[in-house]
Amino acid sequence: MKNRLEILRKQKGIKQEELAEALEVSRQTIGSLENGRYNPSIILAFKLARYFNTTIEEIFIYEEEKNDKN
Amino acid sequence: MIKINSQVKNYILVGISAGIIIGCLFAIKLYGRDIRVIIPLVIALLIFGHSVDNILKIFAIKDSTKAEKQLKIEMKDERNTLIREKAGSKTNEYMLYLNTVIVFILGFMGAEFWMLCLFGFLILAQGVLSIFLYNYYDNRY
């Protein structure tokens, strides 16, 4: 699953640490989300959407994968 | 009922377990290695280790509320939870293989029958527990 998290975060001018603190997750989680290595829970996805004042679909782009490793 | 603070409880447990350890070591010195002394000694050592670990943890984060908050976040973090669960699952799988290999090695080494049964029971218990916990969480979620 692709996402626009890094773009949105940079647009807002905040660091990964600051976003992590606001959402009460670890900085590594934000890093993994931005790299696309980790897919968030629905709760975290809603938190992110609320934080950036947008919708989940605007942040995460769902693509059907042939070999889903998760 | 008196509610005991968790830190005080840890200190009490350390004291009691240390007392039992000293008592057991004294008993071993006097009467030799006896199963009735070894069992409480092992239990007391486990309690001692666990309580000391808890005390040290509290000391490490005592003066830093920021560190305490960060620790809570790290514990609750969903990615960390996923990693912990995956690591636990893989550990369970590898331990099952390892125990099986140990049983074979012991068998070829000519170990006593009760020892093989003990390890066999360990493998069985691990399998049964896995199925039981799977069903438990399957019904819960």
Side-chain angles (χ1 to χ4, degrees), chain B residues 57-75:
Chain B
K57 259 186 218 166
I58 292 165
F59 265 111
I61 57 169
K62 196 179 176 183
D63 297 324
S64 173
T65 47
K66 201 181 174 188
E68 194 179 350
K69 194 186 166 196
Q70 191 58 36
L71 188 75
K72 271 184 189 167
I73 287 171
E74 294 284 341
M75 287 305 289

Side-chain angles (χ1 to χ4, degrees), chain A residues 1-4 32-41 45 56 59-65 68 70:
Chain A
M1 192 158 63
K2 286 182 180 175
N3 66 71
R4 295 177 56 240
S32 295
L33 282 170
E34 286 186 357
N35 292 331
R37 287 199 306 261
Y38 174 68
N39 294 327
S41 69
I56 292 174
I59 306 174
F60 298 98
I61 304 116
Y62 177 68
E63 291 173 325
E64 282 205 40
E65 289 173 49
D68 194 353
N70 288 337

Side-chain angles (χ1 to χ4, degrees), chain A:
Chain A
M1 192 158 63
K2 286 182 180 175
N3 66 71
R4 295 177 56 240
L5 196 61
E6 193 174 357
I7 301 162
L8 290 167
R9 180 177 62 77
K10 283 179 179 169
Q11 273 175 1
K12 212 171 165 85
I14 54 163
K15 291 179 186 169
Q16 283 188 344
E17 287 86 352
E18 289 167 320
L19 180 60
E21 203 178 326
L23 299 170
E24 293 195 331
V25 292
S26 67
R27 194 208 49 81
Q28 286 87 347
T29 299
I30 301 297
S32 295
L33 282 170
E34 286 186 357
N35 292 331
R37 287 199 306 261
Y38 174 68
N39 294 327
S41 69
I42 191 77
I43 295 167
L44 184 56
F46 270 112
K47 277 185 182 177
L48 281 162
R50 188 167 288 179
Y51 184 82
F52 289 111
N53 203 21
T54 183
T55 59
I56 292 174
E57 288 85 355
E58 285 292 317
I59 306 174
F60 298 98
I61 304 116
Y62 177 68
E63 291 173 325
E64 282 205 40
E65 289 173 49
K66 281 180 184 172
N67 297 312
D68 194 353
K69 284 180 182 175
N70 288 337

